Amino acid sequence: MNALRLCAAALLAFVAGAAPVDEPTVSVKVRAGNIVEVATTTEDGKPCVGHALKLIDADKKLVAEGHSNSEGRWEWFLPTRGVYKVLVGPTELPVRVDIRDSVATTDKLPCCMTNAWDKPATTTGDYRFLWLPVGLAVCLLGSSGLVYAVRRAGSLNNGQVAFVAVLLAVGVGSLAWAGVKYLKPAAPPTPTAPNLADQVREYLSSREIRPLSGKLDSLLQETGANRDKFYRRSQDHPLLDEAAPDFTLNDSQGNPWSLQKRLPKGPVVVIFYYGYYCNHCVSQLFDVNRDIAYFRELGAEVIAISADPAATTLARFKEFGAFDYPVLSDPGNAVAERFGAFTPPEKGAKEGTLVHATFVIDREGKMQWAYRGEEPFSGNRALLFKLAELEERLPAGK
């Protein structure tokens, strides 16, 4: 969305003959075939934060809306090829984004993709031609036995007749079965299910989101411009500095997990994601899991919440690996609604609206940091900085 807004500003500048003071510099690019990325910067080159953007399709239907993040960026996965427009700021200047000539990449971590891995992949070998030589061999064996017996004894007893009859029956039957199978085309093998873990790693790599390394103190010692690269201020939220809603939900094993019971041990990071049906959304869970040791070093707990049933989460863990922190089931998105991460459907609508959301809650149960948006939050270092600040663990002078 940011990228689209930036493009809109650039077009407006071209029409007006000069860059508008209130609009950022905008650039748009399409990554991986159908992910639109917008980048916005101010006149002095700094990221333009919080600029409103809307994305509509050719029928003028709203596809997505949001704001540029702390890096001045916004991105959205376009589910189909076509011409889209971005409405930028109060002027709602349209910018055309045409991906008709782009390479579709539905295997490159599409957001809200249906579960292609729900049906296990099976591949059955083609054994039709094996029965041809088997049938021929049995028939020849039976015929040879018949000829040999007749030539030697001049006649066959009842046992020999039965034995030869069985051989001939098996041989002819094998030949007939092989013939039928040969005339009937073999069913194609079921496609191999996508490997979610591999997809997520590829996606994180494409966005240059890498695991943190080094000692925790060194990660928290950056100052000045370097510090601004990773430290992100909280978004506005109705519950900021207020008591976070308490809840008790079941984890993937069916065990209850309570916020209030956990808080005395340290702060909690709460991540709301759409569910395993959204490959893109799960990327944040994988990213956090790679850096979970740093969160634990600060005494913090990370939990992830979606409406996925516990059985679904457990099945995904068995396929793609479990996380080293609890993943909870929120039936009907009831808890997500209390945190402002879910809006119930309006009258006549079938579905509500989900957003990605990440929150930091201190030991006293107050919400100290919040993020909500159309894309998963990426910036574990920012979360660690906030947690260290709450736990008074920042290096001296920070």
Side-chain angles (χ1 to χ4, degrees):
M1 215 57 195
N2 288 341
L4 295 177
R5 192 186 77 188
L6 293 173
C7 290
L11 181 58
L12 182 61
F14 174 77
V15 174
V21 175
D22 296 333
E23 291 292 331
T25 301
V26 181
S27 64
V28 180
K29 66 178 180 180
V30 179
R31 296 188 295 101
N34 47 6
I35 297 177
V36 173
E37 179 178 337
V38 183
T40 60
T41 54
T42 59
E43 280 188 35
D44 56 1
K46 294 182 178 180
C48 182
V49 181
H51 203 71
L53 300 164
K54 292 183 180 180
L55 177 67
I56 61 175
D57 60 17
D59 296 326
K60 297 184 178 180
K61 293 182 180 179
L62 182 65
V63 176
E65 59 182 334
H67 297 79
S68 55
N69 61 19
S70 59
E71 296 178 349
R73 295 189 306 104
W74 186 86
E75 67 179 36
W76 191 260
F77 173 83
L78 297 174
T80 58
R81 298 181 181 184
V83 178
Y84 297 81
K85 295 182 180 179
V86 177
L87 307 182
V88 182
T91 59
E92 293 192 341
L93 181 66
V95 175
R96 296 171 65 86
V97 178
D98 190 346
I99 62 169
R100 287 178 296 184
D101 297 329
S102 300
V103 178
T105 55
T106 55
D107 60 336
K108 300 294 185 182
L109 213 65
C111 185
C112 300
M113 169 185 173
T114 56
N115 285 333
W117 50 83
D118 276 341
K119 298 179 180 180
T122 57
T123 302
T124 302
D126 187 0
Y127 300 104
R128 294 176 298 164
F129 300 105
L130 175 63
W131 288 101
L132 288 173
V134 170
L136 288 172
V138 174
C139 285
L140 288 174
L141 181 62
S143 301
S144 300
L146 177 62
V147 172
Y148 175 78
V150 170
R151 284 185 175 181
R152 183 173 183 181
S155 62
L156 297 175
N157 59 37
N158 292 336
Q160 291 173 326
V161 171
F163 177 73
V164 171
V166 169
L167 285 178
L168 290 175
V170 172
V172 173
S174 299
L175 287 174
W177 187 89
V180 172
K181 290 296 182 179
Y182 178 79
L183 294 175
K184 181 181 179 181
T190 304
T192 302
N195 189 304
L196 176 64
D198 290 342
Q199 289 182 328
V200 168
R201 282 189 285 268
E202 182 179 350
Y203 174 74
L204 294 174
S205 177
S206 70
R207 294 194 60 195
E208 298 184 351
I209 301 175
R210 300 182 177 86
L212 298 175
S213 61
K215 294 184 177 180
L216 177 63
D217 285 348
S218 65
L219 295 175
L220 303 174
Q221 283 179 346
E222 300 288 357
T223 59
N226 288 334
R227 177 178 179 273
D228 293 337
K229 288 181 180 179
F230 72 85
Y231 181 69
R232 304 187 190 182
R233 298 186 182 280
S234 172
Q235 292 182 354
D236 290 332
H237 191 284
L239 294 175
L240 204 60
D241 295 324
E242 302 291 337
D246 186 26
F247 60 86
T248 299
L249 297 173
N250 289 337
D251 63 16
S252 58
Q253 300 290 339
N255 301 316
W257 191 97
S258 170
L259 177 64
Q260 287 300 323
K261 289 183 178 179
R262 175 55 181 77
L263 286 174
K265 301 178 182 178
V268 175
V269 177
V270 182
I271 300 172
F272 288 94
Y273 70 107
Y274 293 2
Y276 261 90
Y277 67 87
C278 175
N279 299 10
H280 181 192
C281 314
V282 183
S283 63
Q284 183 182 4
L285 277 60
F286 279 80
D287 182 36
V288 169
N289 195 61
R290 298 187 301 187
D291 297 330
I292 194 64
Y294 293 106
F295 289 89
R296 289 180 174 168
E297 188 173 346
L298 291 169
E301 174 81 283
V302 176
I303 60 168
I305 301 175
S306 79
D308 279 353
T312 297
T313 302
L314 186 59
R316 299 297 173 255
F317 282 175
K318 292 179 179 179
E319 291 181 90
F320 309 116
F323 301 116
D324 293 325
Y325 54 85
V327 177
L328 311 181
S329 177
D330 178 21
N333 292 301
V335 174
E337 181 180 354
R338 296 169 65 191
F339 275 80
F342 174 73
T343 302
E346 297 180 357
K347 187 176 181 180
K350 294 182 179 180
E351 297 181 354
T353 303
L354 279 166
V355 295
H356 300 279
T358 302
F359 304 100
V360 176
I361 302 171
D362 66 17
R363 290 173 178 264
E364 285 68 43
K366 288 186 177 181
M367 185 182 293
Q368 298 289 353
W369 190 93
Y371 164 86
R372 289 182 295 178
E374 287 79 15
E375 59 180 303
F377 178 76
S378 59
N380 292 341
R381 204 170 179 186
L383 298 176
L384 294 172
F385 194 97
K386 186 61 182 180
L387 291 168
E389 184 179 61
L390 295 175
E391 293 292 288
E392 298 182 351
R393 292 279 301 277
L394 286 176
K398 299 299 178 289

